[in-house]
Amino acid sequence: MVCIRPATVDDLLAMQACNLCCLPENYQMKYYFYHMLSWPQLLYVAEDYNKKIVGYVLAKMEEDSSEVHGHITSLAVLRSHRKLGLASKLMRAAMAAMEETFQSEHVSLHVRVTNRAAFTLYSENLGFEIHDVESKYYADKEDAYDMRKMFETGLKKQEANRLKKEKKDKDKEREKEKDKEKEKGKEKEFAKENGKEKDNEVVEDAPDAAAAGDAAGAEVGDDEKKKKNKRKKG
């Protein structure tokens, strides 16, 4: 029987010993103390019936970020206690604490690109996705997958941002349509003004044409009178 429980200061030496047995990435004791003093809610251990620490998770909250999110610093389970689902239980305990205590938006971690067992655990069992690949991340120059899992708070924030962006885009489209309508209105006004000017020109030319017609008619009348007078004299 193995139980998952919050870690205490008394567990730190056993956690370090487990780390040395399982992983090439090792830490000085002050680093464990730093996590314990800063984020005691995020450290969990797997303890067997003999009170032996057979696994642990070391986690923290990222401080140098605009987003509130957690990070899994280290996860290890002794070889003798693998295939029991302990790694998943430790991870879920730490992630739940990140959400409940710190309202974390997401959690991140790094894993070697060659560590297929860990990658399968994170991607298939726990729902992590590859966010990036960090070249030569480890001391031996091996690349690492930067993996992330979104929490409910983060998903809600993303959805709110998406809706906000959609509204902003729609507002921009409305403004463009308004500008187009204004331009069309201006063009119509301009066309109307040009039409009025042409009509005025036609109206102004009409009296001149009528006067010219009257003058021509008068000339024709005079010519007719002259012809009649000549006939009478003859």
Side-chain angles (χ1 to χ4, degrees):
M1 177 76 180
V2 178
C3 71
I4 306 298
R5 63 168 176 79
T8 67
V9 173
D10 294 335
D11 297 318
L12 295 183
L13 280 173
M15 291 170 66
Q16 186 184 43
C18 186
N19 168 266
L20 292 169
C21 287
C22 301
L23 300 173
E25 292 78 43
N26 310 128
Y27 314 102
Q28 295 181 6
M29 181 50 62
K30 65 181 180 181
Y31 196 56
Y32 291 90
F33 271 110
Y34 167 63
H35 279 70
M36 177 59 74
L37 294 171
S38 302
W39 308 281
Q41 306 93 331
L42 304 183
L43 279 66
Y44 284 83
V45 293
E47 183 181 65
D48 71 2
Y49 57 91
N50 288 322
K51 302 297 182 182
K52 179 182 178 181
I53 301 303
V54 297
Y56 73 90
V57 61
L58 192 67
K60 64 177 182 176
M61 296 302 297
E62 290 288 7
E63 298 173 322
D64 301 326
S65 174
S66 58
E67 297 178 342
V68 179
H69 77 277
H71 182 77
I72 304 297
T73 303
S74 181
L75 171 72
V77 175
L78 292 179
R79 191 175 294 277
S80 59
H81 287 75
R82 292 178 186 172
K83 306 295 184 182
L84 299 175
L86 298 180
S88 292
K89 291 177 182 178
L90 288 164
M91 285 287 293
R92 292 184 194 283
M95 291 190 296
M98 288 176 188
E99 282 196 270
E100 293 168 7
T101 308
F102 299 99
Q103 291 74 53
S104 179
E105 295 175 19
H106 71 266
V107 57
S108 63
L109 58 82
H110 293 95
V111 61
R112 290 174 179 270
V113 295
T114 57
N115 191 342
R116 302 311 300 173
F119 179 78
T120 300
L121 167 70
Y122 299 136
S123 60
E124 296 183 11
N125 293 3
L126 297 171
F128 280 76
E129 295 179 350
I130 296 173
H131 176 71
D132 198 3
V133 178
E134 298 198 21
S135 179
K136 300 178 181 178
Y137 177 81
Y138 292 98
D140 59 3
K141 308 301 181 185
E142 184 175 348
D143 296 347
Y145 288 129
D146 173 7
M147 303 188 74
R148 297 186 182 184
K149 176 183 172 66
M150 296 302 299
F151 292 142
E152 187 176 354
T153 301
L155 292 172
K156 286 181 178 178
K157 184 177 179 181
Q158 282 185 346
E159 181 65 13
N161 288 337
R162 185 184 67 79
L163 293 173
K164 187 177 179 181
K165 185 178 182 300
E166 284 183 1
K167 184 179 181 300
K168 191 175 181 181
D169 291 341
K170 285 180 181 178
D171 290 342
K172 282 183 180 179
E173 286 299 321
R174 289 195 193 98
E175 288 298 321
K176 285 181 181 178
E177 289 299 323
K178 285 181 181 178
D179 291 340
K180 285 181 182 178
E181 289 299 323
K182 285 180 181 179
E183 287 298 321
K184 285 181 181 179
K186 287 180 181 178
E187 288 175 2
K188 286 180 180 178
E189 287 296 323
F190 183 72
K192 282 181 182 178
E193 290 297 323
N194 282 348
K196 285 179 181 179
E197 288 177 5
K198 287 179 181 178
D199 290 342
N200 290 336
E201 288 175 4
V202 171
V203 171
E204 287 172 1
D205 291 342
D208 294 336
D214 293 341
E219 288 178 2
V220 170
D222 292 341
D223 289 341
E224 288 296 327
K225 285 180 180 180
K226 286 178 181 179
K227 286 179 182 179
K228 285 180 180 180
N229 289 334
K230 284 180 179 179
R231 285 187 192 129
K232 286 179 180 181
K233 288 178 181 180

